[in-house]
Amino acid sequence: MRITKRFIAFFKWLGLRRSLILAGLLYWLFCLPRVLFESPTSTVIESREGYLLGARIAADGQWRFPASDSVPHKFERCILLFEDEYFYQHPGVNPVAVTKALWNNLTTDSRRGGSTLTQQVIRLSRDNKARTYSEKLIEMIQATRLEFRYSKKEVLGLYAAHAPFGGNVIGLETAAWRYYGLPATELSWGQMATLAVLPNAPALVYPGKGQEVLLQKRNRLLKKLLERGELSQTDYELSVQEPLPGKPLPLPQLAPHLLDRMVQEQAGQRVKTTLDYKLQQQLNTSMRLHHQGLQANQIHNAAILVLSTDQRDVLAYVGNSPTSAQHQVFVDIIRSKRSTGSILKPLLYASAIEDGSLLPDMLVKDVPTSINGYNPSNFDNEFQGAISASEALSRSLNIPAVRLLESYGLERFHRKLQRAGLNSIDRQANHYGLSLILGGAEASLWEVTAAYAAMGATLNHYSGNSSQYRTGEYSAPKIINDSQRDFGETTFEAPLFTAGSLFNTFQALQKVNRPFGQELWDSFNGAQQIAWKTGTSYGFKDAWAVGVTPKYTVGVWAGNADGEGRPGLTGVQAAAPLLFNVFDALPKSEFFPPPFDDLVQRNICTKSGHIAGAYCENVQEQWVAKAKVMTLSCPYHRTVFLDDKKEYQVNLDCYPAADITAEKWFVLPPFLEHYYTKNHPEYRPLPAFKQGCFPEEIPNMEFIFPKDSSDIILAQDFSQKPSEVVFKVAHRKSETTLYWYLDNTYLGNTDTFHEMALLPEAGDHLLTVVDADGNEIRRQIHIRNP
């Protein structure tokens, strides 16, 4: 009986012991929090090479960088010799060190620590709680569990990332930048030894607060490194001469606006961007110098964006000029919506060429134009009459662009812009109207530069990859280095613009007049060939310049963030010089090769740019985009019959057939001819008909204003009275008399300059003009009061 009770007691004791062991094991398994450190970290951005571009302080006011993947070798050797020499041998707790510390603390008045680096990681994760024996026991238990969860290298990394280095500086990488302005991997032995001893007494880093003690600790550690063979005698002697750090240094701020963007999108993360470190430095300098010139005209803001054309990597991001807070230095101009000015014209030009309604050098009209009450004007308020489409684009003429948009289709072009990634143009097409092509819409430098880069990439990819396109070519640029890009699938169908239409467009953009200092660029061998375009918004508020080469696409904006306009704030004067400074800092590349698979040779009339007709004098073969040509053959060349002296036009009704001379002649309608002759002295007007010969049905005169079926609203003067309307007529003869009638009532005559100022009553009227030869033109008009 007594033996049975003993057995029962033994098994109870054994069961209790097993329960306690099981409970202890469970506690050990789950004693460590799943997330060891929950403190917020700084947002850090680095270049593609791994260099620090900038950082933002953590939400709790501490400079605490996200943990790095590795710990520098020098720091590992320093910290182990100073804090935990047997780190790689113990399981998280060093029994010998603990025993010595306990005996010392019990037998003397001094205090000695026996904590390993692993225990210090636990203490840091527990917010440095009071050092009691119970707390020490918890640290020891969790330290062994930490060693079971993480490798030794990982534990060392946790310590390096969360150790205090004085004030609000947390972590080795942060300390390296704050005290030495260098990444931790580039610190010397003397610098690294200083940082290794700091977590033991962080307050020693401040000048005047025990720096002699800090110096002694550092030098003892350096001596130990020398004795262990880590340092040579020379390195040791140089290291002990190095000064201690003083006041914390400011962190680099090479891309502050990109940093702000990453704080919004990747807060508390270490972001390795696609930026090129040296290029970013260079362009910050270029911006500073350019800004000094802009300030003289009270232009305070500018931005630069550089993309790799093919992959759309962001290589440089200068979000604003180094201006003041008063002038919105913190605004990220790259992402701000600004009036586009003329910067979208190349997209329209390429669209019309792709459509087949335009040939690259085809003559387009540049004359006074009124479309449903909208009266666009050119920048110089002049008219060319007729001008080649490529020259109209390179000179950024407004009237040809508006007329082209009307014929191409506003809705159609609006949809194309949205497909090109210009998402800021998000209202209905009718909201913008035809002013869309002249800056009536807003877009960001980010969107515009990306669209130009995508056009360049289309040419690159098509020419080099078996004549194929990519369905996702117009996706957004890449700014995070490790993110994946998806340009979609390859296809034989152009997603937006054909390669041929883009090549013809870029050829025209090569001819844009460059700013001062770049005028004779094509006279030098090796000069960079760039397809580029400027833009200036209404009221001189926004200046744009965007350039494309096969390797790089650069976008520049200049102006005032608050929208204040300034005289001289134009794309050519304010933005283009900076654009070419940027290209000078980039490696040069050849121009885009012709995409011959998407080009065809056509016989083009050199004078008109149309498909050559039977009467064209000079014809040459040109490579033009492969498209279904929707234009007629040259309408401006015809055969003219002249007398034997070639002074007059004649016909068989009035002149012997044997004496008639046939000659090919370039003839413009009177309306175009009126302006064309002012800029083209070589233009030969048609000779008059010889007396007695009746002219063919070729108009000798034409209304400039008003146009067909005009609805005219009378303007008001300052006294709110209706103002006169000026009617204009063009005549082939430079000196002739025209007679004017309104509703069959004679008004008067004009010579040379045929303009008549009238103030008709409201209602319908018939305007009639008769020349000295009896030729007559009429125009029905409707007058409305203001």
Side-chain angles (χ1 to χ4, degrees):
M1 190 70 174
R2 187 176 297 175
I3 294 175
T4 302
K5 288 181 178 179
R6 287 179 178 177
F7 269 112
I8 293 172
F10 173 75
F11 282 115
K12 284 183 179 181
W13 174 81
L14 185 61
L16 178 63
R17 185 177 180 185
R18 289 178 60 187
S19 298
L20 290 173
I21 292 173
L22 182 60
L25 180 61
L26 289 173
Y27 173 76
W28 183 82
L29 286 173
F30 297 101
C31 68
L32 203 63
R34 188 170 60 86
V35 179
L36 202 60
F37 292 95
E38 294 184 343
S39 302
T41 55
S42 302
T43 305
V44 178
I45 59 172
E46 298 175 341
S47 69
R48 62 173 53 210
E49 303 90 349
Y51 298 131
L52 181 66
L53 295 171
R56 181 65 52 79
I57 199 167
D60 61 355
Q62 304 294 310
W63 283 108
R64 184 188 298 107
F65 283 13
S68 300
D69 295 335
S70 60
V71 176
H73 170 74
K74 291 179 183 177
F75 182 75
E76 179 178 346
R77 298 310 304 147
C78 289
I79 196 65
L80 294 188
L81 282 177
F82 184 75
E83 287 282 0
D84 193 353
E85 194 169 352
Y86 297 99
F87 176 72
Y88 282 102
Q89 283 75 47
H90 64 65
V93 177
N94 187 337
V96 176
V98 171
T99 302
K100 288 182 178 180
L102 182 61
W103 178 255
N104 179 83
N105 296 341
L106 291 174
T107 58
T108 66
D109 293 333
S110 63
R111 289 292 175 265
R112 174 176 175 175
S115 297
T116 63
L117 285 178
T118 313
Q119 289 175 261
Q120 292 184 47
V121 170
I122 295 298
R123 184 163 65 249
L124 292 171
S125 71
R126 292 172 62 80
D127 296 327
N128 287 305
K129 291 186 177 181
R131 297 188 179 185
T132 62
Y133 286 109
S134 60
E135 182 63 27
K136 182 65 70 173
L137 179 61
I138 293 173
E139 286 178 10
M140 294 170 64
I141 295 172
Q142 290 190 353
T144 58
R145 181 68 183 88
L146 184 68
E147 294 265 353
F148 191 78
R149 179 187 291 183
Y150 296 105
S151 68
K152 288 286 186 178
K153 292 288 185 182
E154 290 173 328
V155 172
L156 192 59
L158 288 171
Y159 177 81
H162 295 91
F165 286 86
N168 64 347
V169 179
I170 307 295
L172 172 65
E173 189 68 25
T174 315
W177 280 105
R178 291 289 280 161
Y179 296 132
Y180 296 109
L182 294 170
T185 54
E186 296 182 14
L187 295 181
S188 66
W189 280 105
Q191 293 167 335
M192 194 66 85
T194 304
L195 295 185
V197 303
L198 261 184
N200 187 262
L204 297 179
V205 75
Y206 294 104
K209 290 188 177 182
Q211 285 217 319
E212 185 61 34
V213 177
L214 177 61
L215 182 65
Q216 292 174 2
K217 286 190 172 188
R218 184 200 71 177
N219 290 348
R220 282 198 298 270
L221 176 57
L222 289 171
K223 184 69 173 178
K224 202 170 184 180
L225 288 167
L226 173 66
E227 293 169 351
R228 297 299 177 90
E230 299 287 351
L231 286 179
S232 66
Q233 184 66 37
T234 302
D235 288 338
Y236 168 74
E237 292 174 358
L238 291 173
S239 296
V240 296
Q241 297 300 318
E242 291 187 29
L244 294 175
K247 184 179 179 181
L249 304 173
L251 292 174
Q253 292 294 334
L254 296 181
H257 298 88
L258 177 57
L259 176 60
D260 289 341
R261 180 172 181 170
M262 290 299 102
V263 169
Q264 298 172 13
E265 299 175 4
Q266 303 280 336
Q269 303 293 315
R270 182 188 297 270
V271 182
K272 190 172 186 179
T273 70
T274 56
L275 267 61
D276 182 286
Y277 185 77
K278 289 185 178 179
L279 181 62
Q280 183 71 19
Q281 284 184 311
Q282 284 181 287
L283 299 195
N284 282 337
T285 301
S286 296
M287 174 63 82
R288 184 170 61 252
L289 296 175
H290 187 69
H291 177 245
Q292 292 172 1
L294 292 178
Q295 279 185 305
N297 191 23
Q298 298 183 33
I299 301 170
H300 301 288
N301 306 101
I304 306 170
L305 180 65
V306 181
L307 306 177
S308 62
T309 298
D310 205 43
Q311 292 300 314
R312 241 59 44 78
D313 288 350
V314 178
L315 302 180
Y317 193 109
V318 183
N320 207 330
S321 56
T323 185
S324 62
Q326 179 185 356
H327 296 112
Q328 287 77 44
V329 67
F330 302 110
V331 174
D332 185 357
I333 297 295
I334 289 176
R335 293 193 292 164
S336 300
K337 296 180 181 180
R338 309 297 305 194
S339 171
T340 54
S342 299
I343 208 69
L344 303 180
K345 288 177 182 175
L347 283 75
L348 176 60
Y349 183 87
S351 298
I353 290 178
E354 178 190 27
D355 180 61
S357 59
L358 185 71
L359 292 168
D361 295 317
M362 191 173 78
L363 285 180
V364 293
K365 295 179 180 179
D366 180 29
V367 292
T369 298
S370 179
I371 303 173
N372 296 326
Y374 178 52
N375 304 295
S377 61
N378 293 324
F379 184 79
D380 58 5
N381 292 316
E382 297 290 334
F383 305 100
Q384 302 300 311
I387 188 171
S388 73
S390 61
E391 186 178 355
L393 177 62
S394 66
R395 294 175 56 181
S396 198
L397 298 180
N398 292 337
I399 292 174
V402 171
R403 298 178 71 100
L404 183 61
L405 178 57
E406 184 194 27
S407 62
Y408 181 79
L410 176 61
E411 287 276 1
R412 187 180 179 193
F413 183 62
H414 179 262
R415 289 194 298 270
K416 210 156 200 178
L417 291 180
Q418 293 182 320
R419 289 168 56 199
L422 297 163
N423 299 319
S424 295
I425 305 178
D426 53 2
R427 300 194 179 187
Q428 295 294 324
N430 289 336
H431 171 81
Y432 305 108
L434 295 176
S435 68
L436 171 65
I437 200 61
L438 304 184
E442 291 183 336
S444 66
L445 185 63
W446 176 266
E447 294 169 329
V448 171
T449 309
Y452 272 73
M455 291 191 290
T458 299
L459 273 178
N460 281 343
H461 191 78
Y462 187 91
S463 299
N465 293 273
S466 302
S467 305
Q468 292 182 350
Y469 299 97
R470 299 186 290 193
T471 57
E473 195 68 77
Y474 289 83
S475 55
K478 172 184 172 183
I479 204 164
I480 299 177
N481 195 55
D482 296 332
S483 62
Q484 298 297 317
R485 288 304 309 269
D486 183 11
F487 288 107
E489 301 174 353
T490 56
T491 175
F492 291 102
E493 183 177 351
L496 203 59
F497 301 104
T498 63
S501 66
L502 290 175
F503 183 73
N504 287 153
T505 302
F506 283 8
Q507 282 181 310
L509 295 179
Q510 267 190 295
K511 302 172 185 175
V512 177
N513 289 331
R514 297 194 179 187
F516 178 77
Q518 297 272 344
E519 302 94 329
L520 302 177
W521 67 274
D522 52 352
S523 302
F524 299 93
N525 292 330
Q528 177 118 289
Q529 300 183 69
I530 303 168
W532 74 291
K533 182 72 180 69
T534 60
T536 304
S537 68
Y538 178 77
F540 303 102
K541 297 179 180 181
D542 304 275
W544 298 78
V546 182
V548 188
T549 69
K551 289 185 178 180
Y552 305 103
T553 302
V554 179
V556 172
W557 178 93
N560 288 311
D562 60 5
E564 179 187 0
R566 295 296 305 166
L569 179 55
T570 64
V572 171
Q573 294 179 339
L578 185 54
L579 176 82
F580 285 97
N581 286 343
V582 174
F583 272 112
D584 287 343
L586 295 168
K588 292 180 172 53
S589 62
E590 298 296 325
F591 197 63
F592 297 93
F596 289 113
D597 286 355
D598 199 47
L599 296 172
V600 294
Q601 281 189 304
R602 296 192 185 277
N603 291 325
I604 302 295
C605 175
T606 56
K607 195 77 172 178
S608 69
H610 282 259
I611 299 295
Y615 306 112
C616 289
E617 298 173 281
N618 298 312
V619 178
Q620 67 177 19
E621 280 192 332
Q622 288 185 7
W623 288 100
V624 298
K626 186 184 295 183
K628 182 180 179 181
V629 177
M630 299 170 63
T631 61
L632 301 174
S633 60
C634 178
Y636 300 123
H637 279 90
R638 60 187 300 272
T639 297
V640 176
F641 299 101
L642 306 173
D643 62 3
D644 56 350
K645 295 181 180 180
K646 297 186 178 181
E647 293 179 351
Y648 298 98
Q649 293 187 68
V650 296
N651 53 46
L652 293 175
D653 296 332
C654 64
Y655 205 77
D659 296 332
I660 293 179
T661 301
E663 187 171 327
K664 295 178 180 178
W665 209 281
F666 178 64
V667 183
L668 290 174
F671 189 20
L672 303 185
E673 183 183 90
H674 176 73
Y675 295 99
Y676 189 82
T677 52
K678 296 178 181 179
N679 302 286
H680 296 271
E682 77 283 1
Y683 179 79
R684 296 187 301 160
L686 278 174
F689 274 89
K690 192 174 182 66
Q691 188 173 4
C693 294
F694 295 99
E696 300 177 20
E697 292 300 322
I698 301 176
N700 286 321
M701 56 181 171
E702 188 175 2
F703 277 107
I704 297 176
F705 182 82
K707 304 303 293 178
D708 292 333
S709 304
S710 291
D711 190 6
I712 301 171
I713 301 176
L714 298 177
Q716 289 181 333
D717 58 20
F718 289 111
S719 61
Q720 297 187 345
K721 294 181 179 179
S723 298
E724 294 179 321
V725 181
V726 178
F727 298 96
K728 299 180 182 181
V729 169
H731 199 283
R732 291 192 184 279
K733 292 183 180 180
S734 58
E735 294 183 5
T736 188
T737 301
L738 299 186
Y739 303 92
W740 297 71
Y741 298 85
L742 185 67
D743 299 329
N744 298 320
T745 300
Y746 177 68
L747 302 174
N749 62 278
T750 55
D751 299 303
T752 309
F753 299 104
H754 305 295
E755 298 180 357
M756 179 69 70
L758 303 175
L759 184 57
E761 294 181 356
D764 294 321
H765 298 277
L766 179 64
L767 183 64
T768 306
V769 180
V770 182
D771 68 6
D773 296 324
N775 299 306
E776 178 182 295
I777 55 173
R778 296 185 176 191
R779 182 60 38 89
Q780 192 74 35
I781 58 175
H782 178 75
I783 302 295
R784 287 197 292 164
N785 287 322

